[in-house]
Amino acid sequence: MSNMSCHEAKRKVYEYLGEELDDTAKQEVDGHLSGCSLCAEEFHLERTISEMIISTNPRLIQSSDFYNRISNSLRSEIE
Ligand SMILES: [Zn+2]
């Protein structure tokens, strides 16, 4: 059972999508998402948006700071 807070989970969602998390951290996020429908919905939404951005702008993924820029802007909305 994960004791990760929703706030922490939402921060890690963007790191998850940016492949910044190791397997252990991903499992922690997955554990929270499996027990928290709110965060699971948000994760699904963010992943869909990210995939749309990448599929329409495939060259963006080659930019090493692409996810950093996205996650920083999204994080600033949360905090
Ligand atoms: Zn949650």
Side-chain angles (χ1 to χ4, degrees):
M1 188 65 191
S2 171
N3 58 4
M4 181 183 286
S5 69
C6 285
H7 183 78
E8 189 180 356
K10 284 177 182 175
R11 288 173 58 99
K12 288 186 183 270
V13 157
Y14 304 115
E15 294 172 17
Y16 194 129
L17 293 170
E19 299 294 335
E20 295 170 30
L21 298 181
D22 60 27
D23 287 344
T24 304
K26 283 184 178 180
Q27 282 169 14
E28 284 178 12
V29 175
D30 284 337
H32 181 87
L33 297 180
S34 68
C36 180
S37 59
L38 283 175
C39 290
E41 255 179 57
E42 173 142 338
F43 178 77
H44 179 73
L45 182 67
E46 298 300 340
R47 187 173 58 187
T48 303
I49 291 171
S50 296
E51 285 172 353
M52 278 173 51
I53 292 171
I54 292 165
S55 65
T56 54
N57 301 281
R59 286 183 184 173
L60 278 178
I61 196 68
Q62 295 170 5
S63 168
S64 62
D65 65 349
F66 167 59
Y67 274 110
N68 285 335
R69 274 186 282 139
I70 288 186
S71 61
N72 285 341
S73 66
L74 292 169
R75 279 175 191 147
S76 66
E77 287 176 21
I78 294 172
E79 288 164 358

